[in-house]
Amino acid sequence: MKTYSYLFLILTTLFVVYPSSKAAPTYREISTAKRTVLTEMQRLQKQHGIHFVYDSALRLDMPYTGTDLSHLPIDKALNALFGHIGIEYKMHNRNVMLRQTTASVQQTTEIKERKTTFTINGRITDTHGEPIVNATVFDLTSKDGTLSDGRGRYIMHLAEGHHVVRVSSIGCDADTIVVNMHSDISHNFRLKQAVELKEVVVTEDMNSPVLTTQTGKRTFTSKDINNGFALLSSPDLVKTIQRISGVTSGVDFVSGMYVHGGGSDENLFLLDGTPLYQTNHSLGLFSAFNSDIIKNVDFYKSGFPARYSGRVSSITDVRTHDGNMEQVHGTASLGLLDGRIQVEGPISKNRTSFNVSLRRSWIDLLLRPVCAIANKGSDDKYTLGYVFHDFNAKLTHHINNKATIWTSVYSGYDSYRVDDKSMLGDNVNDTENRMTWGNLSGTIGGDFMLSPTMSMASMLTATYSHSRQKYSEEDYEIVDKGGHLRNYLDTRLNSTEMIDVAAHANFSWQPTDRQHIHFGIAFTRHQFRPQTKRQAFYYGDPQEGCDTTDIRSRVNIVSHEAVVYAEDEMRINKYLSANIGTSFTATMVNGRTYLMLDPRFAFKWQLANSTSFKMSYTHMSQSIHRMASSFLELPTDFWVPTTNEIKPTMSHQIAAGIYTQPSTHLTLSLEAYYKLSSHLLQYRHWMGFQPSAATWNRDVADGKGKSYGMEADATYTTGSTTMSMAYTLSWSKRLFKDIYPTWFDDQFDNRHKINISLSHDFSQRISLYAAWTLHSGNRVTMPVGYTIQPNIPGDNKYSYDYIFDRPNNFSLPAYHRMDIGANFRHTTRHGKEGIWNVSLYNAYCHLNTMYVKVRLDDNNKFQIKSHGYIPIIPSVSYTLKF
């Protein structure tokens, strides 16, 4: 019976170690040279080839002063080692199973009751010096743990005495040290990338949704993004986030993102702490984030910590790689529509590094011969051109173990051009349409350890966001001697510029092992410069002169925003933890000041080791708005500030859920939310691209929004297979009394949404990915009747006018598609890794509805026709790592 009890102990122990037969687990002892029970166990493992299986709560760091065990038989050596310290052992084949007795339990309790504590802190990096974000630091002795921050720093309070501290991160081998805490200690960890599984360690993951306090948080690594589907050879961060429950993608083939019923301008994207306003290329086909430089992404859809502010729907915090501190490495990728290259390495080994990446499309190069062939032999000339690029550069310098400074630059740019010149005899019609948009940002930052328990991160940032659309149409006749007589000329210009200059100071203080306090201040100067221009010239007979219309408007608005925040992450007891905080924002514009207080709190009840219940309340405010006349992110959209007439957008959101991990492979969660928003903006009746820059605020309506729903998530992971499922049941409503007197459905009110994804590594060379998505159709406004009206009294001709009952009253057909992809890895003749990626977008070629047309048939009944254009799209790319 005892044998079965020991086998049961193996399966149910929270922290179990299975060492390899080739090597014992690595335990490095810090601040002590004494022999301990643990070091003697390691010697016995090497000498006799045995394996120890034990609960990590066992105190094995106590000094050993007994006889030399190297000359004793294994049974006598074990008896001498454990016979007098309250640990019972049992041999089963080559495994030695250890179990606590009453004495050892009391010893563990004594450690927790000690009042004297000290601090261990430092940085966690990989072997190349790259900081590891969200690495778990866990004390196997006291069962306390923490996570590394965005710069890889950690702080943990430990009671006086010996402790076994384990550091682990996904994709890396764990590192364990034995530390004697009799004073404050600074220790840096360097984790090796896991190549093969040498031992199995079941340990706490402090980043698990079962253990974290926030609701609605998801974390992604570069592997999560790059291993997913690559649309036209380019992995995409935004499309990865779109697969999360509670996130709606908008219209097929574009990178819109609508979170918990919010608009696309209610999402804050941070690139190393700097906000990006233009986040898409190709009108949403690609996102503006080059996956080669991404290190870690934290995405919040609820439960926002107080250190984030400025948007009401979601936060996406993107951290980029610092750069390899030891060797020059890089990747180069060649795809159907774009190419990427990324290079990183040391400038001064282990002190200064660089990381540079560039992505550029060559759609313009492919279109040139196509246009040349189409124009050959014709007087008509048609030109189509499009190009985009992303450029990232980062320079990092370690002054010492307590100070790091860095600077980064980002540039993103899109240019779209269509020229159409047609001739009919001597008459020429020449149309030109150009659109450009992009970002340019720069950041200087520093991270400093001010004391063993406090650190500071400071930044100076500058951001320039711009968009421009220029259209001209000219009609003229060719006359003698090469001249021409203009019949008319129509030109239009819509442009907007936004310039941000900001300073941030963020502090992190851990006074005890149960408390982590964040506080800071930020100041931002926003400058908005929208401009509209229209000129129309009409020429008749040269003797008659001309009729000219010239309308111009330009606005220059400056606003100032100051933010102060504080939040306290606390562990109240072993069952209850909380994150309570608030941010206070003062926005000053046009002589008026808006004061906004945004309280936040989140609580977690640890119902069991593998199950927790969480709830949160967040109040968010947003003082800038993007005015858009379409669901596409066009360059005619422009950002505007809160004004005397336009109030800041506000939201209240409550979220609650239960999270469980019934096994080491399976994680389940069920979460519900309710969100109310006020002072949302929507064009009242404007149907063009952009109204006059001077009068835009007269054409918008102020409204409210509410959304609520439930989200279920499941993830199953083994060594080679990961499967995830996300289901969302949601409602999203709008109330704009200037448009409709009662609540109506939002355009992207998708009642049901299901995402299922599967990735499997058949070997180290071949991996497969598949994802299927289904959601209820988007909503459009359709007529419910028509009326006949005469054009002119007494005229027998009539016209039809449609009758509408409410906005967005019709649901389009359900959207569904499957994407599949495969990676094939190989080693080149020069020993470099090469990866072929082959993928299919919309693998079974379902033409999802993009828009519908309605008409009256001969029987005076409405006929609605659905239009879909996106078929199956194959992609192929090749990546070389050097």
Side-chain angles (χ1 to χ4, degrees), residues 164-408:
V164 181
V165 178
R166 183 189 303 279
V167 175
S168 59
S169 181
I170 296 176
C172 296
D173 289 333
D175 190 9
T176 304
I177 63 172
V178 178
V179 57
N180 184 10
M181 298 299 297
H182 55 78
S183 63
D184 293 336
I185 292 176
S186 179
H187 182 73
N188 298 329
F189 289 89
R190 302 191 72 174
L191 303 186
K192 296 180 180 179
Q193 185 176 1
V195 179
E196 58 181 340
L197 194 62
K198 296 181 179 178
E199 63 180 31
V200 177
V201 180
V202 182
T203 183
E204 299 281 1
D205 178 11
M206 303 306 296
N207 201 40
S208 166
V210 177
L211 299 178
T212 56
T213 305
Q214 277 83 15
T215 61
K217 179 187 177 184
R218 291 289 299 272
T219 297
F220 302 95
T221 65
S222 59
K223 182 180 179 181
D224 297 324
I225 300 168
N226 287 310
N227 282 6
F229 172 75
L231 173 63
L232 299 176
S233 77
S234 185
D236 196 288
L237 168 63
V238 174
K239 286 183 171 58
T240 300
I241 296 177
Q242 287 174 349
R243 293 194 290 267
I244 298 175
S245 60
V247 181
T248 301
S249 59
V251 178
D252 193 19
F253 216 53
V254 301
S255 293
M257 201 169 84
Y258 304 86
V259 182
H260 284 179
S264 61
D265 67 327
E266 297 173 9
N267 307 307
L268 176 62
F269 288 88
L270 297 172
L271 183 64
D272 285 331
T274 304
L276 290 186
Y277 295 98
Q278 303 285 354
T279 59
N280 290 320
H281 294 301
S282 307
L283 306 180
L285 182 61
F286 302 97
S287 73
F289 298 94
N290 187 345
S291 61
D292 291 334
I293 203 170
I294 293 176
K295 174 173 61 178
N296 185 85
V297 179
D298 286 331
F299 172 76
Y300 296 87
K301 57 184 177 180
S302 63
F304 308 103
R307 55 187 178 272
Y308 295 108
S309 61
R311 299 294 189 277
V312 297
S313 286
S314 76
I315 306 293
T316 305
D317 190 355
V318 182
R319 301 286 176 167
T320 62
H321 289 286
D322 285 353
N324 196 311
M325 285 285 181
E326 295 187 342
Q327 296 177 331
V328 175
H329 288 284
T331 60
S333 299
L334 185 67
L336 292 180
L337 298 182
D338 70 345
R340 313 190 311 272
I341 186 169
Q342 178 260 337
V343 181
E344 59 180 320
I347 297 176
S348 175
K349 193 171 182 180
N350 293 323
R351 289 186 62 84
T352 308
S353 68
F354 71 91
N355 193 358
V356 178
S357 69
L358 174 66
R359 175 174 63 160
R360 188 195 188 277
S361 68
W362 39 66
I363 305 175
D364 55 330
L365 303 180
L366 299 176
L367 290 174
R368 287 177 186 175
V370 174
C371 293
I373 295 173
N375 293 331
K376 188 176 182 180
S378 173
D379 292 334
D380 296 341
K381 302 297 180 183
Y382 184 81
T383 304
L384 175 63
Y386 174 73
V387 64
F388 73 82
H389 81 254
D390 289 308
F391 174 76
N392 296 82
K394 192 172 186 179
L395 188 68
T396 305
H397 176 68
H398 294 317
I399 301 174
N400 52 44
N401 286 336
K402 296 184 177 181
T404 300
I405 57 175
W406 54 276
T407 182
S408 67

